[in-house]
Amino acid sequence: MPRLIPAPKLPAEELRFSDRQLLALLAPLIAEQLLSYLVGLADSVMVSSAGGAAVSAVSMVDSISVLLLNAFSALATGGAVVVGQYWGHRDRKNSRLAARQLLVFLLMLSVGLTVLLELAQGPLLRLIYGRTDAAVLANCFAYYRIVMLSIPFIAVYNGAVALFRTLGDSTTPMRISLLMNAVNVGGNAWLIYGLRLGVIGVAIPTLVSRGVAAALICSLVLRPRFPLTVTPLRQYRYDGRMIRSILSIGVPNGIENSMFQLGKILLLSLVSTLPLAAITANAIGNTVGNFHVVVGVAVNSGMIPVVSQCVGAWDFSQARYYIRRLSVIIYWVQGLVCLVMILAIPLITRIYHAPQETAQLAAQVMLVHTVSSMLLWPTAFALNNGMRAAGDARFSMAVSIASMWLFRVGLSYVLVGVLQTGVIGVWLAWAVDFLFRSIVFVIRYRGHRWEHTPLTR
């Protein structure tokens, strides 16, 4: 597959980022993503002591919260692209202006949305998961009302992290993430095993740890010596032009990410009509599936500042070079991770203390997702991420939405609802979705229509 992704051969002395700079950017990102997913796995393993209903409830509510987090992460990505292009063009004034607009906008939007979500708690959960088991639904309500309060914290945190990564500093966010996850895991252990609070014991540490992380990273961003400092905030004035630039990348990216997660929610609603063994196996698959793409997600985060700075300097040859190089890195490293995960499937099912039927279903789910992540994920999600950093956000959004509705959702309902394939049908539909995206984005990358005029024109 890497041979399908051509790139110009450039002399080393002409490259904007040396191997050492790329390693310094990517290594902390991979470590941070791995840590985040390990914490997610620890959460699910800990809450599994409260029973299958608790595991399923956390997975279901997290699908809603991740939908929101993806939307805010997309806006942060839009801000990072804008800041990165100005930074690559050596326009420090507009870089700082974009940084300030991004953080204030994220804060205001996330607070308003959190209020609406808390008020709509009952109708929303009953609409999506009303047909599921009563015990699972009760746990959903308990977990939801606490976790949703953390949305403003994580939204602002993502925005501030994007600023650090734009500067090539992924080490500082990694250290803060380490503290955040330590608070989360320690709190889970105390509240779940010590106080026996079940899903509440997962929700409270999530809220506290995100609040601590947001406070720490904002204190760093507000320092006057920070290159992209947003102080003094009292001088903040809404800048419609800059917000439109951020939204031109962030909104299509947000719609794409939100639709992706909306598809997962619709599929969870479909899975929730299946027996508890299938619901639990699907929850295990969702959690473990994060490890299959941990490298890809991390390198994608690093691709945004690298490509956006090349584009800001009007150098599309280097933008193309780094998109290909980083995609190939994902192929090799993620392929190795997936091979290890295939061998570890029996161990994973034992860790979850799953009954035999659940373990068999979970093993099938994990195998399908592992193989598709190894072969198709880089071209399905890395190429378009690099092209998005060049401003090609609308095309990516259109393709992703079409693929999600046609294959991920539509084909799942055919396989599960009509052909009665059970939960495995959902994951087979995911693989077809990956394949379609890969074909379209390889064709797009090999052309030149994604090379948009930089914001620094």
Side-chain angles (χ1 to χ4, degrees), residues 229-293:
T229 182
V230 298
T231 56
L233 284 175
R234 64 177 178 276
Q235 295 181 3
Y236 171 79
R237 296 291 184 274
Y238 175 80
D239 188 312
R241 179 185 64 86
M242 193 65 74
I243 291 295
R244 284 192 296 273
S245 295
I246 293 172
L247 294 179
S248 69
I249 306 295
V251 168
N253 190 25
I255 293 174
E256 177 184 339
N257 289 351
S258 298
M259 283 294 176
F260 183 86
Q261 196 62 31
L262 177 60
K264 291 182 69 174
I265 292 174
L266 291 174
L267 296 180
L268 273 175
S269 180
L270 173 64
V271 172
S272 70
T273 64
L274 300 174
L276 183 58
I279 297 175
T280 305
N282 189 71
I284 294 172
N286 280 327
T287 301
V288 177
N290 290 330
F291 285 93
H292 301 156
V293 298

Short mmCIF file of all heavy atoms in Angstrom, two decimals, residues 229-293:
data_model
loop_
_atom_site.label_atom_id
_atom_site.label_comp_id
_atom_site.label_asym_id
_atom_site.label_seq_id
_atom_site.Cartn_x
_atom_site.Cartn_y
_atom_site.Cartn_z
N THR A 229 1.39 33.22 23.37
CA THR A 229 0.62 33.65 24.54
C THR A 229 -0.69 34.31 24.14
O THR A 229 -0.76 35.03 23.14
CB THR A 229 1.43 34.62 25.41
OG1 THR A 229 0.67 34.97 26.56
CG2 THR A 229 1.80 35.87 24.64
N VAL A 230 -1.74 34.04 24.92
CA VAL A 230 -3.06 34.62 24.63
C VAL A 230 -3.37 35.78 25.57
O VAL A 230 -4.50 36.26 25.61
CB VAL A 230 -4.16 33.54 24.74
CG1 VAL A 230 -3.93 32.45 23.73
CG2 VAL A 230 -4.22 32.95 26.15
N THR A 231 -2.40 36.19 26.36
CA THR A 231 -2.61 37.32 27.26
C THR A 231 -2.29 38.63 26.54
O THR A 231 -1.51 38.65 25.59
CB THR A 231 -1.70 37.20 28.50
OG1 THR A 231 -0.34 37.09 28.07
CG2 THR A 231 -2.09 36.03 29.35
N PRO A 232 -2.88 39.74 27.03
CA PRO A 232 -3.87 39.81 28.10
C PRO A 232 -5.28 39.55 27.56
O PRO A 232 -5.67 40.12 26.54
CB PRO A 232 -3.74 41.23 28.63
CG PRO A 232 -3.27 42.02 27.44
CD PRO A 232 -2.42 41.08 26.62
N LEU A 233 -6.02 38.68 28.24
CA LEU A 233 -7.36 38.32 27.78
C LEU A 233 -8.33 39.50 27.83
O LEU A 233 -9.34 39.51 27.13
CB LEU A 233 -7.89 37.15 28.61
CG LEU A 233 -7.31 35.77 28.26
CD1 LEU A 233 -7.83 34.73 29.22
CD2 LEU A 233 -7.61 35.38 26.83
N ARG A 234 -8.01 40.47 28.69
CA ARG A 234 -8.93 41.62 28.79
C ARG A 234 -8.95 42.42 27.48
O ARG A 234 -9.88 43.20 27.24
CB ARG A 234 -8.52 42.52 29.95
CG ARG A 234 -7.16 43.16 29.80
CD ARG A 234 -6.86 44.09 30.97
NE ARG A 234 -5.55 44.69 30.88
CZ ARG A 234 -4.42 44.12 31.28
NH1 ARG A 234 -4.48 42.92 31.85
NH2 ARG A 234 -3.25 44.73 31.14
N GLN A 235 -7.96 42.20 26.63
CA GLN A 235 -7.92 42.89 25.34
C GLN A 235 -8.59 42.08 24.24
O GLN A 235 -8.54 42.44 23.07
CB GLN A 235 -6.47 43.18 24.95
CG GLN A 235 -5.76 44.15 25.88
CD GLN A 235 -4.32 44.42 25.44
OE1 GLN A 235 -3.86 43.93 24.41
NE2 GLN A 235 -3.61 45.23 26.21
N TYR A 236 -9.23 40.97 24.64
CA TYR A 236 -9.84 40.11 23.62
C TYR A 236 -10.96 40.85 22.90
O TYR A 236 -11.82 41.49 23.51
CB TYR A 236 -10.40 38.84 24.26
CG TYR A 236 -11.23 38.02 23.31
CD1 TYR A 236 -10.62 37.20 22.37
CD2 TYR A 236 -12.63 38.10 23.32
CE1 TYR A 236 -11.36 36.45 21.47
CE2 TYR A 236 -13.38 37.35 22.43
CZ TYR A 236 -12.74 36.52 21.51
OH TYR A 236 -13.49 35.80 20.63
N ARG A 237 -10.93 40.76 21.59
CA ARG A 237 -12.00 41.26 20.74
C ARG A 237 -12.33 40.19 19.71
O ARG A 237 -11.43 39.60 19.11
CB ARG A 237 -11.59 42.55 20.02
CG ARG A 237 -11.30 43.73 20.94
CD ARG A 237 -12.58 44.24 21.61
NE ARG A 237 -12.31 45.44 22.41
CZ ARG A 237 -11.88 45.42 23.66
NH1 ARG A 237 -11.67 44.24 24.27
NH2 ARG A 237 -11.66 46.53 24.32
N TYR A 238 -13.60 39.97 19.51
CA TYR A 238 -14.01 38.97 18.53
C TYR A 238 -13.52 39.38 17.14
O TYR A 238 -13.73 40.52 16.71
CB TYR A 238 -15.53 38.83 18.53
CG TYR A 238 -16.08 37.92 17.46
CD1 TYR A 238 -16.05 36.53 17.63
CD2 TYR A 238 -16.60 38.43 16.27
CE1 TYR A 238 -16.55 35.68 16.65
CE2 TYR A 238 -17.09 37.60 15.29
CZ TYR A 238 -17.06 36.23 15.49
OH TYR A 238 -17.54 35.39 14.51
N ASP A 239 -12.84 38.47 16.47
CA ASP A 239 -12.31 38.72 15.12
C ASP A 239 -13.00 37.75 14.16
O ASP A 239 -12.63 36.58 14.06
CB ASP A 239 -10.79 38.51 15.10
CG ASP A 239 -10.15 38.95 13.79
OD1 ASP A 239 -10.68 38.57 12.72
OD2 ASP A 239 -9.13 39.66 13.82
N GLY A 240 -14.00 38.26 13.47
CA GLY A 240 -14.79 37.41 12.59
C GLY A 240 -13.98 36.76 11.48
O GLY A 240 -14.19 35.59 11.14
N ARG A 241 -13.02 37.49 10.92
CA ARG A 241 -12.20 36.94 9.84
C ARG A 241 -11.39 35.75 10.32
O ARG A 241 -11.32 34.71 9.65
CB ARG A 241 -11.26 38.02 9.30
CG ARG A 241 -10.34 37.54 8.18
CD ARG A 241 -9.35 38.63 7.78
NE ARG A 241 -8.47 38.95 8.88
CZ ARG A 241 -7.33 38.28 9.14
NH1 ARG A 241 -7.00 37.24 8.39
NH2 ARG A 241 -6.56 38.63 10.14
N MET A 242 -10.79 35.88 11.50
CA MET A 242 -9.96 34.80 12.02
C MET A 242 -10.81 33.59 12.42
O MET A 242 -10.44 32.44 12.16
CB MET A 242 -9.15 35.28 13.21
CG MET A 242 -8.03 34.34 13.64
SD MET A 242 -6.76 34.16 12.37
CE MET A 242 -5.91 35.75 12.53
N ILE A 243 -11.96 33.85 13.03
CA ILE A 243 -12.85 32.76 13.40
C ILE A 243 -13.34 32.02 12.16
O ILE A 243 -13.42 30.78 12.15
CB ILE A 243 -14.05 33.28 14.22
CG1 ILE A 243 -13.58 33.76 15.60
CG2 ILE A 243 -15.12 32.20 14.38
CD1 ILE A 243 -13.04 32.65 16.48
N ARG A 244 -13.63 32.75 11.10
CA ARG A 244 -14.07 32.10 9.85
C ARG A 244 -12.95 31.23 9.28
O ARG A 244 -13.23 30.14 8.74
CB ARG A 244 -14.51 33.14 8.83
CG ARG A 244 -15.88 33.74 9.11
CD ARG A 244 -16.40 34.53 7.92
NE ARG A 244 -15.57 35.70 7.64
CZ ARG A 244 -15.72 36.89 8.20
NH1 ARG A 244 -16.69 37.07 9.09
NH2 ARG A 244 -14.94 37.89 7.88
N SER A 245 -11.70 31.69 9.38
CA SER A 245 -10.58 30.87 8.92
C SER A 245 -10.48 29.58 9.72
O SER A 245 -10.26 28.51 9.17
CB SER A 245 -9.27 31.67 9.03
OG SER A 245 -9.27 32.78 8.17
N ILE A 246 -10.63 29.70 11.04
CA ILE A 246 -10.58 28.52 11.91
C ILE A 246 -11.74 27.58 11.59
O ILE A 246 -11.57 26.36 11.47
CB ILE A 246 -10.61 28.94 13.39
CG1 ILE A 246 -9.32 29.69 13.75
CG2 ILE A 246 -10.80 27.73 14.30
CD1 ILE A 246 -9.33 30.32 15.14
N LEU A 247 -12.93 28.16 11.42
CA LEU A 247 -14.11 27.34 11.16
C LEU A 247 -14.08 26.71 9.78
O LEU A 247 -14.67 25.64 9.56
CB LEU A 247 -15.38 28.18 11.31
CG LEU A 247 -15.69 28.69 12.73
CD1 LEU A 247 -16.97 29.52 12.72
CD2 LEU A 247 -15.81 27.55 13.71
N SER A 248 -13.38 27.34 8.81
CA SER A 248 -13.31 26.78 7.47
C SER A 248 -12.62 25.42 7.47
O SER A 248 -12.88 24.58 6.61
CB SER A 248 -12.56 27.74 6.52
OG SER A 248 -11.18 27.82 6.86
N ILE A 249 -11.73 25.20 8.44
CA ILE A 249 -11.09 23.90 8.61
C ILE A 249 -11.81 23.10 9.70
O ILE A 249 -12.09 21.91 9.54
CB ILE A 249 -9.61 24.05 9.01
CG1 ILE A 249 -8.88 24.93 7.99
CG2 ILE A 249 -8.94 22.69 9.13
CD1 ILE A 249 -8.80 24.35 6.61
N GLY A 250 -12.12 23.77 10.81
CA GLY A 250 -12.67 23.09 11.97
C GLY A 250 -14.07 22.55 11.76
O GLY A 250 -14.38 21.44 12.22
N VAL A 251 -14.94 23.30 11.07
CA VAL A 251 -16.32 22.85 10.92
C VAL A 251 -16.42 21.60 10.03
O VAL A 251 -17.05 20.61 10.43
CB VAL A 251 -17.21 23.99 10.39
CG1 VAL A 251 -18.57 23.46 9.95
CG2 VAL A 251 -17.41 25.04 11.47
N PRO A 252 -15.83 21.60 8.82
CA PRO A 252 -15.87 20.35 8.05
C PRO A 252 -15.23 19.18 8.80
O PRO A 252 -15.74 18.05 8.77
CB PRO A 252 -15.08 20.69 6.78
CG PRO A 252 -15.20 22.16 6.64
CD PRO A 252 -15.19 22.69 8.06
N ASN A 253 -14.10 19.46 9.46
CA ASN A 253 -13.45 18.42 10.25
C ASN A 253 -14.34 17.97 11.40
O ASN A 253 -14.43 16.77 11.71
CB ASN A 253 -12.11 18.95 10.78
CG ASN A 253 -11.26 17.86 11.39
OD1 ASN A 253 -11.39 16.70 11.05
ND2 ASN A 253 -10.39 18.25 12.31
N GLY A 254 -15.00 18.93 12.04
CA GLY A 254 -15.90 18.61 13.14
C GLY A 254 -17.11 17.81 12.69
O GLY A 254 -17.53 16.86 13.35
N ILE A 255 -17.67 18.21 11.55
CA ILE A 255 -18.81 17.46 11.01
C ILE A 255 -18.38 16.04 10.66
O ILE A 255 -19.09 15.07 10.96
CB ILE A 255 -19.38 18.18 9.77
CG1 ILE A 255 -20.01 19.52 10.18
CG2 ILE A 255 -20.41 17.30 9.07
CD1 ILE A 255 -20.48 20.35 9.01
N GLU A 256 -17.20 15.94 10.05
CA GLU A 256 -16.68 14.61 9.70
C GLU A 256 -16.49 13.75 10.94
O GLU A 256 -16.95 12.60 11.00
CB GLU A 256 -15.35 14.77 8.97
CG GLU A 256 -14.67 13.47 8.61
CD GLU A 256 -13.32 13.68 7.97
OE1 GLU A 256 -13.06 14.78 7.45
OE2 GLU A 256 -12.50 12.74 8.01
N ASN A 257 -15.81 14.30 11.95
CA ASN A 257 -15.57 13.53 13.18
C ASN A 257 -16.87 13.22 13.92
O ASN A 257 -17.04 12.14 14.47
CB ASN A 257 -14.62 14.30 14.11
CG ASN A 257 -13.20 14.33 13.57
OD1 ASN A 257 -12.89 13.64 12.61
ND2 ASN A 257 -12.36 15.12 14.18
N SER A 258 -17.77 14.21 13.93
CA SER A 258 -19.04 14.01 14.63
C SER A 258 -19.89 12.97 13.93
O SER A 258 -20.55 12.15 14.58
CB SER A 258 -19.79 15.34 14.73
OG SER A 258 -19.05 16.28 15.48
N MET A 259 -19.89 13.00 12.61
CA MET A 259 -20.64 11.99 11.87
C MET A 259 -20.05 10.60 12.11
O MET A 259 -20.77 9.61 12.22
CB MET A 259 -20.63 12.32 10.37
CG MET A 259 -21.58 13.41 9.99
SD MET A 259 -23.31 12.92 10.22
CE MET A 259 -24.16 14.44 9.80
N PHE A 260 -18.72 10.55 12.18
CA PHE A 260 -18.04 9.29 12.48
C PHE A 260 -18.52 8.74 13.82
O PHE A 260 -18.86 7.57 13.95
CB PHE A 260 -16.53 9.54 12.51
CG PHE A 260 -15.70 8.31 12.74
CD1 PHE A 260 -15.33 7.49 11.68
CD2 PHE A 260 -15.29 7.97 14.01
CE1 PHE A 260 -14.56 6.36 11.89
CE2 PHE A 260 -14.52 6.83 14.24
CZ PHE A 260 -14.16 6.03 13.17
N GLN A 261 -18.57 9.62 14.83
CA GLN A 261 -19.00 9.18 16.14
C GLN A 261 -20.50 8.95 16.20
O GLN A 261 -20.98 8.06 16.91
CB GLN A 261 -18.58 10.21 17.20
CG GLN A 261 -18.63 9.71 18.62
CD GLN A 261 -17.68 8.54 18.85
OE1 GLN A 261 -16.64 8.46 18.22
NE2 GLN A 261 -18.05 7.66 19.74
N LEU A 262 -21.25 9.76 15.45
CA LEU A 262 -22.70 9.54 15.37
C LEU A 262 -23.00 8.16 14.81
O LEU A 262 -23.90 7.46 15.26
CB LEU A 262 -23.35 10.62 14.50
CG LEU A 262 -24.86 10.47 14.26
CD1 LEU A 262 -25.63 10.51 15.58
CD2 LEU A 262 -25.36 11.56 13.32
N GLY A 263 -22.20 7.78 13.81
CA GLY A 263 -22.34 6.43 13.27
C GLY A 263 -22.13 5.37 14.33
O GLY A 263 -22.85 4.38 14.40
N LYS A 264 -21.11 5.59 15.20
CA LYS A 264 -20.86 4.64 16.28
C LYS A 264 -22.04 4.58 17.25
O LYS A 264 -22.40 3.52 17.74
CB LYS A 264 -19.58 5.03 17.02
CG LYS A 264 -18.31 4.83 16.22
CD LYS A 264 -17.07 5.17 17.00
CE LYS A 264 -16.83 4.18 18.13
NZ LYS A 264 -15.54 4.42 18.81
N ILE A 265 -22.65 5.74 17.51
CA ILE A 265 -23.79 5.78 18.42
C ILE A 265 -24.98 5.03 17.82
O ILE A 265 -25.67 4.26 18.49
CB ILE A 265 -24.17 7.23 18.75
CG1 ILE A 265 -23.06 7.89 19.58
CG2 ILE A 265 -25.49 7.29 19.51
CD1 ILE A 265 -23.29 9.36 19.84
N LEU A 266 -25.24 5.26 16.53
CA LEU A 266 -26.34 4.56 15.87
C LEU A 266 -26.09 3.05 15.87
O LEU A 266 -27.02 2.26 16.06
CB LEU A 266 -26.49 5.06 14.43
CG LEU A 266 -27.01 6.49 14.27
CD1 LEU A 266 -26.97 6.91 12.80
CD2 LEU A 266 -28.41 6.63 14.83
N LEU A 267 -24.83 2.67 15.69
CA LEU A 267 -24.51 1.26 15.71
C LEU A 267 -24.63 0.68 17.12
O LEU A 267 -25.02 -0.47 17.29
CB LEU A 267 -23.10 1.03 15.15
CG LEU A 267 -22.94 1.40 13.68
CD1 LEU A 267 -21.51 1.15 13.22
CD2 LEU A 267 -23.92 0.61 12.82
N LEU A 268 -24.28 1.49 18.13
CA LEU A 268 -24.48 1.05 19.51
C LEU A 268 -25.96 0.85 19.79
O LEU A 268 -26.36 -0.06 20.51
CB LEU A 268 -23.88 2.05 20.49
CG LEU A 268 -22.41 1.87 20.83
CD1 LEU A 268 -21.94 3.01 21.73
CD2 LEU A 268 -22.17 0.54 21.51
N SER A 269 -26.78 1.75 19.22
CA SER A 269 -28.22 1.59 19.38
C SER A 269 -28.68 0.29 18.74
O SER A 269 -29.53 -0.42 19.28
CB SER A 269 -28.95 2.78 18.74
OG SER A 269 -30.34 2.66 18.88
N LEU A 270 -28.09 -0.04 17.58
CA LEU A 270 -28.41 -1.31 16.92
C LEU A 270 -27.92 -2.49 17.76
O LEU A 270 -28.65 -3.46 17.99
CB LEU A 270 -27.76 -1.34 15.54
CG LEU A 270 -27.84 -2.64 14.75
CD1 LEU A 270 -29.30 -2.97 14.42
CD2 LEU A 270 -27.01 -2.55 13.48
N VAL A 271 -26.69 -2.39 18.24
CA VAL A 271 -26.11 -3.48 19.05
C VAL A 271 -26.88 -3.66 20.35
O VAL A 271 -26.99 -4.77 20.87
CB VAL A 271 -24.62 -3.21 19.31
CG1 VAL A 271 -24.04 -4.21 20.31
CG2 VAL A 271 -23.82 -3.28 18.01
N SER A 272 -27.43 -2.55 20.90
CA SER A 272 -28.13 -2.63 22.18
C SER A 272 -29.38 -3.50 22.11
O SER A 272 -29.93 -3.89 23.14
CB SER A 272 -28.51 -1.23 22.67
OG SER A 272 -29.53 -0.65 21.86
N THR A 273 -29.85 -3.82 20.89
CA THR A 273 -31.01 -4.70 20.74
C THR A 273 -30.61 -6.17 20.75
O THR A 273 -31.47 -7.04 20.76
CB THR A 273 -31.75 -4.39 19.43
OG1 THR A 273 -30.90 -4.68 18.31
CG2 THR A 273 -32.15 -2.91 19.37
N LEU A 274 -29.28 -6.43 20.72
CA LEU A 274 -28.77 -7.81 20.72
C LEU A 274 -28.63 -8.32 22.15
O LEU A 274 -28.75 -7.55 23.10
CB LEU A 274 -27.43 -7.86 19.98
CG LEU A 274 -27.44 -7.42 18.51
CD1 LEU A 274 -26.02 -7.38 17.96
CD2 LEU A 274 -28.32 -8.34 17.68
N PRO A 275 -28.35 -9.59 22.33
CA PRO A 275 -28.16 -10.14 23.69
C PRO A 275 -26.99 -9.45 24.41
O PRO A 275 -26.11 -8.86 23.78
CB PRO A 275 -27.85 -11.62 23.42
CG PRO A 275 -28.49 -11.91 22.10
CD PRO A 275 -28.35 -10.65 21.31
N LEU A 276 -26.99 -9.57 25.74
CA LEU A 276 -25.97 -8.90 26.56
C LEU A 276 -24.57 -9.36 26.18
O LEU A 276 -23.62 -8.55 26.22
CB LEU A 276 -26.22 -9.17 28.05
CG LEU A 276 -25.27 -8.48 29.03
CD1 LEU A 276 -25.30 -6.97 28.85
CD2 LEU A 276 -25.62 -8.87 30.47
N ALA A 277 -24.38 -10.60 25.78
CA ALA A 277 -23.05 -11.08 25.38
C ALA A 277 -22.52 -10.30 24.19
O ALA A 277 -21.33 -9.94 24.14
CB ALA A 277 -23.11 -12.57 25.04
N ALA A 278 -23.39 -9.99 23.23
CA ALA A 278 -22.98 -9.21 22.06
C ALA A 278 -22.68 -7.77 22.43
O ALA A 278 -21.72 -7.17 21.93
CB ALA A 278 -24.07 -9.27 20.99
N ILE A 279 -23.50 -7.20 23.33
CA ILE A 279 -23.27 -5.82 23.77
C ILE A 279 -21.92 -5.70 24.47
O ILE A 279 -21.13 -4.78 24.21
CB ILE A 279 -24.40 -5.36 24.71
CG1 ILE A 279 -25.74 -5.36 23.99
CG2 ILE A 279 -24.10 -3.97 25.28
CD1 ILE A 279 -26.93 -5.04 24.88
N THR A 280 -21.63 -6.65 25.36
CA THR A 280 -20.37 -6.62 26.09
C THR A 280 -19.18 -6.85 25.16
O THR A 280 -18.14 -6.20 25.28
CB THR A 280 -20.38 -7.67 27.21
OG1 THR A 280 -21.53 -7.47 28.04
CG2 THR A 280 -19.12 -7.56 28.06
N ALA A 281 -19.31 -7.78 24.22
CA ALA A 281 -18.24 -8.04 23.26
C ALA A 281 -17.96 -6.81 22.41
O ALA A 281 -16.80 -6.48 22.12
CB ALA A 281 -18.62 -9.22 22.35
N ASN A 282 -19.01 -6.10 22.03
CA ASN A 282 -18.85 -4.86 21.26
C ASN A 282 -18.13 -3.80 22.09
O ASN A 282 -17.27 -3.07 21.58
CB ASN A 282 -20.22 -4.35 20.82
CG ASN A 282 -20.12 -3.21 19.83
OD1 ASN A 282 -19.74 -3.41 18.68
ND2 ASN A 282 -20.47 -2.02 20.26
N ALA A 283 -18.48 -3.70 23.38
CA ALA A 283 -17.82 -2.74 24.26
C ALA A 283 -16.32 -3.06 24.40
O ALA A 283 -15.47 -2.16 24.37
CB ALA A 283 -18.49 -2.74 25.63
N ILE A 284 -16.01 -4.34 24.54
CA ILE A 284 -14.60 -4.75 24.62
C ILE A 284 -13.88 -4.41 23.32
O ILE A 284 -12.76 -3.89 23.31
CB ILE A 284 -14.49 -6.26 24.92
CG1 ILE A 284 -15.04 -6.55 26.32
CG2 ILE A 284 -13.05 -6.74 24.80
CD1 ILE A 284 -15.16 -8.04 26.64
N GLY A 285 -14.54 -4.68 22.20
CA GLY A 285 -13.94 -4.38 20.90
C GLY A 285 -13.67 -2.90 20.73
O GLY A 285 -12.62 -2.51 20.19
N ASN A 286 -14.61 -2.04 21.17
CA ASN A 286 -14.41 -0.60 21.07
C ASN A 286 -13.21 -0.13 21.88
O ASN A 286 -12.43 0.73 21.46
CB ASN A 286 -15.67 0.14 21.53
CG ASN A 286 -16.73 0.18 20.46
OD1 ASN A 286 -16.44 0.23 19.27
ND2 ASN A 286 -17.99 0.14 20.87
N THR A 287 -13.07 -0.69 23.08
CA THR A 287 -11.97 -0.27 23.96
C THR A 287 -10.63 -0.77 23.43
O THR A 287 -9.68 0.01 23.28
CB THR A 287 -12.19 -0.81 25.38
OG1 THR A 287 -13.42 -0.31 25.88
CG2 THR A 287 -11.06 -0.37 26.30
N VAL A 288 -10.55 -2.04 23.12
CA VAL A 288 -9.29 -2.63 22.64
C VAL A 288 -8.94 -2.11 21.25
O VAL A 288 -7.76 -1.94 20.91
CB VAL A 288 -9.37 -4.16 22.65
CG1 VAL A 288 -8.10 -4.79 22.09
CG2 VAL A 288 -9.63 -4.67 24.06
N GLY A 289 -9.96 -1.80 20.44
CA GLY A 289 -9.73 -1.30 19.10
C GLY A 289 -8.93 -0.01 19.08
O GLY A 289 -8.24 0.30 18.09
N ASN A 290 -8.99 0.76 20.17
CA ASN A 290 -8.20 1.99 20.24
C ASN A 290 -6.71 1.70 20.15
O ASN A 290 -5.94 2.49 19.61
CB ASN A 290 -8.51 2.72 21.56
CG ASN A 290 -9.91 3.31 21.58
OD1 ASN A 290 -10.45 3.68 20.55
ND2 ASN A 290 -10.50 3.39 22.76
N PHE A 291 -6.29 0.57 20.69
CA PHE A 291 -4.87 0.23 20.66
C PHE A 291 -4.39 -0.10 19.25
O PHE A 291 -3.22 0.08 18.94
CB PHE A 291 -4.59 -0.96 21.59
CG PHE A 291 -4.62 -0.59 23.04
CD1 PHE A 291 -5.79 -0.71 23.78
CD2 PHE A 291 -3.49 -0.10 23.68
CE1 PHE A 291 -5.83 -0.37 25.11
CE2 PHE A 291 -3.52 0.25 25.01
CZ PHE A 291 -4.69 0.11 25.73
N HIS A 292 -5.27 -0.58 18.42
CA HIS A 292 -4.89 -0.91 17.05
C HIS A 292 -4.41 0.31 16.30
O HIS A 292 -3.55 0.20 15.41
CB HIS A 292 -6.06 -1.55 16.31
CG HIS A 292 -6.58 -2.79 16.94
ND1 HIS A 292 -7.87 -3.24 16.75
CD2 HIS A 292 -5.99 -3.69 17.78
CE1 HIS A 292 -8.05 -4.37 17.43
NE2 HIS A 292 -6.93 -4.66 18.06
N VAL A 293 -4.97 1.48 16.61
CA VAL A 293 -4.67 2.70 15.85
C VAL A 293 -3.96 3.74 16.68
O VAL A 293 -3.92 4.91 16.31
CB VAL A 293 -5.97 3.28 15.24
CG1 VAL A 293 -6.60 2.30 14.28
CG2 VAL A 293 -6.96 3.67 16.34
#
